[in-house]
């Protein structure tokens, strides 16, 4: 993780960190804080605890998001202070809807100049957000009228960071559960870091190819980091730490308490393995999950060569 962040995340970069409730690469956010990155534009559909922590670490100057909150468990104290009181510094917050963010990633992934959507009609967002424009369709509808429609610009991050269950050493990445916008966010970026619970042999990936949501050609770095999502969860590997989510509102409400937490849990740990060890065996045991296997798939293979295979045959017609 240390090497991947050092190589691909730089001061002033546009960084996308994606994962929707599930598979949030929190450990990558912690390493960005440890390395003291500054003036980042962070793109994250659901701005949650990792955003609050990176703000407190002084990493973010601009936030592009469609949701702000402590995942149904409370508030984000640092984010609220910056938005409501510019304390200790203002935050440039660029707000879109969830679907608007999806459209921005789609435009970025397809290298389009914009992406159309209808859902901003009737919304206040276009009034406060300059990143939404109306254009006139070049094609008439059935009545011969040329419709006006909203469009949003592409997102092309300098680097996208996502989490998944497994990948091979080349970067072919497999994921199940809530897959979110990971694939599009990776293809939209100039570089991509994939954090996984485990790196597996090529044969494991080839045995179940439909689970490969991100191909190796789109990946610059693969980081094996078990438990990297805490306090989020990774389907099949760890559960959601609801106790931590409930405690965060109290931790982040007071700047001194939050600063002390960063000193102890991020600056005071060398890497994510030390962070997990600090959580302790009791907590880690509580977050373990059992097996829930999902059957087998038969893709089929030919048992014997067909008669005359490889020989020239006449057209039966």
């Amino acid at each position: 993780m240390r090497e991947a962040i050092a190589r691909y995340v730089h001061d002033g970069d546009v960084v996308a960190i994606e994962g929707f409730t599930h598979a949030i690469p929190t450990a990558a956010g912690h390493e960005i804080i440890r390395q003291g990155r500054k003036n980042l534009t962070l793109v994250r559909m659901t701005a949650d605890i990792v955003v609050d922590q990176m703000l407190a670490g002084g990493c973010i100057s601009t936030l592009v998001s469609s949701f702000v909150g402590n995942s149904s468990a409370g508030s984000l104290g640092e984010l609220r202070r910056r938005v409501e009181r510019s304390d200790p510094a203002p935050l440039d917050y660029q707000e879109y809807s969830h679907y608007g963010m999806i459209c921005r990633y789609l435009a970025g992934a397809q290298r389009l100049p914009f992406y159309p959507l209808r859902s901003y009609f009737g919304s206040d967002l276009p009034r406060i957000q300059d990143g939404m424009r109306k254009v006139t369709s070049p094609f008439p509808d059935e009545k011969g009228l040329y419709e006006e429609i909203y469009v949003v610009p592409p997102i092309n991050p300098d680097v996208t960071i996502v989490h998944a269950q497994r990948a091979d050493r080349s970067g072919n990445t497999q994921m199940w559960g809530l897959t979110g916008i990971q694939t599009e966010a990776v293809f939209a970026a100039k570089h991509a870091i994939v954090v996984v619970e485990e790196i597996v042999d090529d044969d494991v990936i080839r045995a179940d190819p439909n689970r490969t949501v991100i191909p190796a050609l789109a990946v610059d770095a693969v980081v094996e980091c078990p438990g990297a999502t805490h306090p989020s969860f990774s389907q099949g590997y760890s559960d959601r730490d609801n106790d931590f989510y409930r405690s965060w509102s109290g931790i982040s409400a007071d700047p001194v308490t939050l600063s002390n937490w960063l000193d102890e849990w991020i600056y005071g740990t060398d890497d994510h393995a030390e962070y997990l060890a600090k959580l302790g065996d009791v907590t880690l045991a509580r977050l373990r999950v059992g097996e829930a296997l999902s059957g087998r798939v038969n893709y089929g293979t030919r048992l014997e060569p067909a008669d005359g295979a490889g020989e020239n045959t006449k057209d039966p017609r």
Side-chain angles (χ1 to χ4, degrees):
M1 184 76 78
R2 184 181 297 113
E3 180 183 353
I5 297 302
R7 181 177 298 183
Y8 293 111
V9 180
H10 310 99
D11 289 357
D13 276 357
V14 177
V15 179
I17 295 180
E18 285 303 344
F20 183 72
T21 303
H22 164 250
I24 299 168
T26 309
H30 289 179
E31 185 58 30
I32 290 171
I33 295 170
R34 287 190 193 97
Q35 294 193 17
R37 294 295 181 267
K38 303 294 183 185
N39 197 32
L40 300 179
T41 294
L42 185 68
V43 183
R44 174 152 175 73
M45 284 184 63
T46 53
D48 51 4
I49 283 177
V50 69
V51 175
D52 217 28
Q53 293 168 351
M54 291 175 68
L55 278 169
C59 303
I60 304 169
S61 59
T62 300
L63 174 63
V64 184
S65 181
S66 55
F67 166 90
V68 170
N70 179 10
S71 299
S72 304
S75 289
L76 304 175
E78 184 69 15
L79 192 149
R80 289 194 66 167
R81 283 188 289 274
R82 290 175 183 252
V83 170
E84 295 174 358
R85 303 195 298 274
S86 297
D87 177 21
L91 174 67
D92 176 16
Y93 178 43
Q94 300 177 13
E95 183 181 3
Y96 291 82
S97 64
H98 267 51
Y99 185 58
M101 290 287 290
I102 290 171
C103 290
R104 293 198 67 191
Y105 277 127
L106 287 168
Q110 298 175 52
R111 299 304 187 264
L112 294 172
F114 55 80
Y115 206 92
L117 69 166
R118 283 197 171 92
S119 57
Y120 287 142
F121 287 100
S123 167
D124 286 337
L125 281 174
R127 180 172 55 83
I128 64 172
Q129 172 56 272
D130 188 51
M132 304 160 192
R133 309 285 177 84
K134 277 184 183 178
V135 299
T136 302
S137 170
F139 301 105
D141 61 19
E142 58 186 12
K143 297 180 180 179
L145 302 176
Y146 292 85
E147 179 183 4
E148 281 196 331
I149 194 163
Y150 278 103
V151 296
V152 290
I155 294 175
N156 291 112
D158 293 296
V159 60
T160 287
I161 307 171
V162 297
H163 186 91
Q165 281 92 339
R166 65 193 183 199
D168 62 22
R169 293 184 180 274
S170 298
N172 293 298
T173 303
Q174 295 192 336
M175 186 178 186
W176 52 94
L178 288 165
T179 54
I181 198 72
Q182 268 86 330
T183 302
E184 293 79 2
V186 164
F187 273 102
K190 298 172 186 174
H191 298 286
I193 300 170
V194 174
V195 184
V196 292
E197 296 290 332
E198 57 178 332
I199 293 176
V200 297
D201 292 337
D202 295 357
D203 289 347
V204 175
I205 302 298
R206 291 172 180 166
D208 197 1
N210 286 346
R211 291 196 193 277
T212 303
V213 298
I214 300 169
L217 62 90
V219 177
D220 293 277
V222 181
V223 176
E224 185 179 65
C225 187
T229 63
H230 182 269
S232 173
F233 69 102
S234 184
Q235 188 79 41
Y237 290 82
S238 62
D239 203 356
R240 188 177 191 266
D241 192 348
N242 290 310
D243 288 350
F244 185 93
Y245 279 101
R246 282 190 287 267
S247 71
W248 185 253
S249 292
I251 293 170
S252 64
D254 176 57
V256 175
T257 303
L258 178 53
S259 178
N260 290 339
W261 187 92
L262 290 177
D263 287 341
E264 179 179 358
W265 288 90
I266 298 181
Y267 299 121
T269 56
D270 188 55
D271 54 25
H272 195 65
E274 283 194 14
Y275 173 91
L276 292 179
K278 190 173 178 62
L279 281 177
D281 292 340
V282 173
T283 297
L284 295 178
R286 176 169 55 83
L287 300 178
R288 290 194 188 104
V289 297
E291 282 191 341
L293 300 177
S294 183
R296 299 173 64 184
V297 176
N298 184 359
Y299 287 95
T301 186
R302 179 175 290 153
L303 296 176
E304 297 290 343
D307 290 343
E311 298 178 1
N312 291 326
T313 59
K314 294 181 179 180
D315 189 328
R317 294 175 295 178

